[in-house]
């Protein structure tokens, strides 16, 4: 084993906030050329974004304290993001601890479904992630330094061969473990975005320890088959640019995967998530035949029946709590104004009409204040038409009821786990 690698073999623990491990006095100090990008953090939205999920849960006797704590921690991380940092590659990001942020997402969702008195041990899983980086040091030898390509290839072999991580194409409720970082670390099977995150965290650790001294990017496969792979940035091609994963893209992809997996209206994959929910609310004008329409009505009634009975999750029927949670965090991340529209239609199905109207108005106000491109595709036109019909319906409900009854009219789940 080379002397370079033996320096790192002694066991040590260190802070997640990237303190550098002890190195022998004869060793040069680790090179850490990566610094936090300039630019002030984005201010929080001026509008009061009081979300409905946690309040509604607590109004029904559900203890949402762990979920609130995890959400607060998630917000504390993303508030550090400047405009520039959002577009920074995940391989060089330093302002936000992406591993910690991903675990806060898992901690909140875990508390929504497990009802455990103990929160997810975030620090323990962060330690596992750090141990994974440290484990590479025993795999490191002089042959890894013969070329940059060999060095990056040795990291891939360590992660995907020696440690056995592999990509799972499942993005549904049946296999949610691939969508949460703590489960991926446990099962060693995860989505492309989770493997990209783990790969980037190893690279950042190696850079801090002085083993990585050149610029690296991770090729994210998007819809292409294959594993996320690191490559020398100096040899990048123009065609690689769309596959560079930025901080904003990574966090948005994590949350959108969760939103897709747990969306309560799973029928008709050809439609957008919003149109599926709007169709179940009879806000979409279309006819695909008696059999198809009958299936949609039956699916919508099944969702309605479960919500009325306080059952907000079911196999192959999504999970309303985790879908709402994903929508709320996407709104906080300010990725796309359409997230407010999607959140609104879920609130409508929950019977939270006042909050649904609030967020649909916010969506329309944001859309009208932004430069608009004419809608040319059929899907966008159908979505806007459905949103307009939903707005009309919510305004009619407001005039009829005057929001006089309780805001939370549905029964959020207690210990009810029956499939219907």
């Amino acid at each position: 084993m080379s002397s370079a690698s033996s320096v790192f073999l002694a066991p040590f623990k260190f802070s997640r906030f990237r303190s550098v491990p002890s190195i022998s006095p004869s060793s040069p100090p680790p090179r850490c050329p990566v610094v936090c990008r300039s630019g002030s953090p984005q201010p929080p939205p001026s509008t009061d974004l009081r979300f409905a999920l946690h309040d509604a849960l607590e109004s029904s006797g559900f203890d949402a304290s762990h979920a609130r704590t995890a959400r607060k921690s998630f917000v504390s991380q993303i508030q550090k993001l400047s405009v520039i940092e959002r577009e920074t590659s995940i391989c060089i990001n330093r302002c936000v601890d992406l591993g910690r942020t991903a675990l806060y997402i898992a901690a909140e969702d875990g508390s929504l479904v497990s009802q455990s008195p103990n929160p997810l041990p975030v620090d323990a899983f962060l330690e596992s992630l750090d141990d994974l980086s440290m484990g590479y040091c025993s795999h490191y030898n002089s042959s890894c330094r013969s070329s940059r390509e060999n060095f990056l290839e040795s990291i891939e072999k360590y992660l995907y061969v020696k440690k056995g991580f592999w990509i799972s194409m499942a993005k549904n409720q049946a296999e949610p473990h691939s969508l949460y970082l703590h489960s991926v670390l446990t099962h060693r099977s995860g989505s492309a975005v989770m493997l990209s995150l783990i790969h980037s965290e190893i690279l950042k650790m190696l850079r801090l320890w002085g083993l990585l001294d050149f610029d690296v990017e991770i090729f994210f496969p998007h819809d292409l088959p294959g594993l996320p792979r690191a490559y020398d940035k100096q040899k990048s091609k123009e065609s690689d640019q769309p596959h560079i994963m930025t901080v904003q893209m990574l966090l948005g992809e994590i949350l959108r995967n969760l939103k897709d997996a747990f969306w309560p209206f799973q029928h008709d994959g050809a439609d957008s998530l919003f149109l599926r929910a709007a169709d179940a609310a009879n806000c979409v004008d279309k006819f695909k035949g008696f059999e198809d329409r009958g299936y949609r009505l039956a699916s919508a009634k099944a969702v309605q029946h479960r919500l009325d009975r306080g059952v907000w999750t079911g196999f192959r029927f999504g999970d309303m709590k985790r879908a709402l949670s994903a929508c709320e965090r996407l709104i906080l991340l300010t990725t796309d104004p359409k997230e407010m529209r999607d959140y609104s239609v879920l609130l409508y199905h929950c019977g939270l009409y006042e909050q649904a109207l609030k967020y649909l108005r916010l969506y329309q106000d944001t859309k009208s204040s932004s430069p608009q491109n004419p809608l040319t595709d059929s899907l966008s036109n159908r979505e806007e038409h459905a949103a307009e019909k939903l707005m009309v319906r919510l305004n009619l409900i407001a005039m009829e009821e005057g929001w006089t009854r309780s805001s939370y009219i549905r029964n959020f789940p207690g210990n009810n786990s029956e499939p219907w």
Side-chain angles (χ1 to χ4, degrees):
M1 182 179 297
S2 69
S3 59
S5 62
S6 62
V7 172
F8 297 92
L9 291 182
F12 49 77
K13 295 295 179 185
F14 47 89
S15 166
R16 183 66 187 167
F17 292 101
R18 302 298 194 255
S19 59
V20 181
S22 301
I23 299 179
S24 63
S26 60
S27 303
R31 293 180 293 278
C32 187
V34 183
V35 296
C36 181
R37 295 297 189 94
S38 61
S40 58
Q42 284 192 334
S46 57
T47 308
D48 176 24
L49 293 177
R50 184 174 179 83
F51 295 115
L53 178 60
H54 296 159
D55 288 342
L57 287 168
E58 290 179 338
S59 72
S60 64
F62 185 98
D63 183 5
S65 57
H66 292 326
R68 286 189 184 277
T69 300
R71 176 71 64 83
K72 184 177 179 180
S73 299
F74 170 80
V75 171
S76 71
Q77 288 292 321
I78 64 172
Q79 282 181 339
K80 300 175 186 177
L81 288 172
S82 66
V83 175
I84 295 176
E85 182 73 9
R86 287 172 181 268
E87 300 305 318
T88 300
S89 165
I90 59 173
C91 292
I92 60 174
N93 156 71
R94 287 284 302 282
C95 284
V96 175
D97 190 328
L98 294 175
R100 184 177 291 274
T101 306
L103 286 168
Y104 286 144
I105 292 172
E108 179 178 350
D109 282 11
S111 69
L112 293 177
V113 296
S114 71
Q115 301 181 44
S116 170
N118 301 312
L120 183 77
V122 170
D123 289 336
F125 282 105
L126 285 171
E127 197 167 287
S128 296
L129 186 58
D130 290 339
D131 288 344
L132 185 64
S133 300
M134 292 170 59
Y136 172 76
C137 297
S138 62
H139 186 74
Y140 176 80
N141 54 53
S142 57
S143 65
C144 299
R145 298 296 297 174
S146 60
S147 69
R148 293 180 175 183
E149 289 76 13
N150 287 343
F151 178 51
L152 296 178
E153 184 180 352
S154 72
I155 298 173
E156 290 178 6
K157 286 182 178 179
Y158 167 73
L159 183 62
Y160 299 135
V161 179
K162 183 175 181 179
K163 289 300 180 181
F165 282 86
W166 60 283
I167 194 166
S168 170
M169 303 307 293
K171 292 185 179 181
N172 53 57
Q173 188 185 4
E175 295 187 46
H177 69 265
S178 66
L179 307 177
Y180 293 111
L181 180 57
H182 71 294
S183 294
V184 175
L185 291 171
T186 302
H187 296 91
R188 304 198 176 187
S189 167
S191 63
V193 68
M194 282 300 167
L195 295 184
S196 296
L197 171 58
I198 292 172
H199 203 151
S200 69
E201 290 296 291
I202 293 175
L203 290 171
K204 283 187 283 188
M205 281 294 194
L206 296 180
R207 182 183 294 279
L208 283 169
W209 296 342
L211 293 179
L212 177 63
D213 56 2
F214 57 93
D215 290 335
V216 176
E217 293 290 0
I218 288 182
F219 184 93
F220 182 73
H222 287 296
D223 295 329
L224 302 175
L227 294 163
R229 298 191 179 279
Y231 64 94
D232 183 355
K233 190 173 182 178
Q234 289 186 354
K235 297 184 178 180
S236 62
K237 305 180 290 293
E238 186 175 351
S239 60
D240 294 331
Q241 292 302 311
H243 296 275
I244 294 177
M245 179 64 74
T246 66
V247 174
Q248 176 98 343
M249 287 170 59
L250 180 127
L251 294 176
E253 186 78 8
I254 290 173
L255 293 171
R256 278 189 295 272
N257 284 349
L258 294 171
K259 179 181 169 186
D260 290 347
F262 298 115
W263 194 256
F265 307 93
Q266 295 288 327
H267 65 276
D268 196 356
D271 277 345
S272 67
L273 299 182
F274 174 72
L275 281 177
R276 297 182 208 172
D279 187 26
N282 291 319
C283 290
V284 177
D285 295 330
K286 61 180 178 179
F287 179 76
K288 289 189 177 181
F290 178 80
E291 181 179 351
D292 180 74
R293 188 61 186 170
Y295 174 79
R296 292 168 181 274
L297 288 173
S299 177
K301 288 181 178 180
V303 172
Q304 180 84 20
H305 182 63
R306 295 197 320 278
L307 296 181
D308 286 337
R309 297 186 62 187
V311 182
W312 289 65
T313 181
F315 180 65
R316 299 188 185 278
F317 286 98
D319 185 323
M320 183 66 84
K321 288 184 295 183
R322 285 188 279 186
L324 286 168
S325 182
C327 286
E328 290 178 356
R329 288 173 302 208
L330 281 165
I331 292 170
L332 288 168
L333 194 60
T334 61
T335 56
D336 189 334
K338 290 181 180 180
E339 301 299 343
M340 290 185 283
R341 178 201 66 188
D342 294 359
Y343 183 53
S344 172
V345 75
L346 288 186
L347 293 175
Y348 170 84
H349 282 287
C350 296
L352 306 178
Y353 302 127
E354 184 176 4
Q355 293 90 331
L357 181 59
K358 169 188 172 181
Y359 280 94
L360 194 56
R361 284 174 173 169
L362 281 174
Y363 161 67
Q364 292 195 334
D365 291 344
T366 305
K367 185 183 66 170
S368 62
S369 63
S370 303
Q372 293 293 307
N373 295 320
L375 299 177
T376 56
D377 62 289
S378 172
L379 182 64
S380 296
N381 279 313
R382 289 168 56 206
E383 287 179 336
E384 288 307 305
H385 182 63
E388 290 169 4
K389 290 189 69 175
L390 181 60
M391 176 66 81
V392 170
R393 184 175 301 175
L394 287 168
N395 280 317
L396 289 173
I397 294 173
M399 289 187 291
E400 179 181 351
E401 299 184 354
W403 313 124
T404 56
R405 61 178 177 170
S406 172
S407 297
Y408 306 118
I409 64 170
R410 298 228 190 272
N411 297 315
F412 274 68
N415 295 319
N416 194 342
S417 60
E418 60 182 335
W420 290 88

